[in-house]
Amino acid sequence: MNCYVCGTKLDEGADRCPCCKEYVVDFIGDSENTGRILKEKGERRREKLLSQYGIEIAVYKWEEEQSRKMRVQMPPAESLYRSEGWLEEPFARVPGMEEFAVETAVRKAGEEKTVVMTVQSFSSPTFLHIGAVIEDGFKLRLVLKNDDGEIHRSEAVSLLDVL
């Protein structure tokens, strides 16, 4: 059985999700109707939890013979659950770089923590699109896509462990 809020696989007999701390619900009666109600409740709870998070990445713009570091806001965390969200602007691939170390800032309730997430680059010269996805267990991954639609993913970082 999986948590109806964050999707984490639950151990037999668990009374709370080890990830999001939501109570495990046992029910009797009409399982179809109760399942629908729990699914809706889980979606509302998940959206509420994820809406507290903001995710930004550091990007570098080349301007007037020098690069300037700036932060770019990723799509809202609640829209990223099991769904990739992409930044609009493509980025040029840097020749010779086998992987990118992307400074990623995660914010929640006025607190912020920065983690460096690495994602493998592509060997062919191409423009790259960067995005993110939140997987079960509220695990964040950065996603890199080239013009051919090939995708590389970073290692996962738990949003709940970051803050």
Side-chain angles (χ1 to χ4, degrees), residues 16-44:
R16 291 187 91 159
C17 174
C19 180
C20 71
K21 309 300 184 222
E22 187 68 27
Y23 285 100
V24 175
V25 177
D26 292 324
F27 55 88
I28 57 173
D30 181 2
S31 62
E32 185 177 317
N33 192 40
T34 304
R36 182 185 53 76
I37 292 169
L38 285 176
K39 181 180 177 186
E40 290 171 3
K41 180 183 179 207
E43 289 170 358
R44 286 191 306 272

Side-chain angles (χ1 to χ4, degrees), residues 51-54 71 105-114 163:
S51 70
Q52 299 173 49
Y53 288 89
R71 281 188 167 179
V106 178
R107 286 186 332 288
K108 179 185 175 193
E111 293 185 49
E112 181 178 297
K113 183 162 183 182
T114 301
L163 290 174

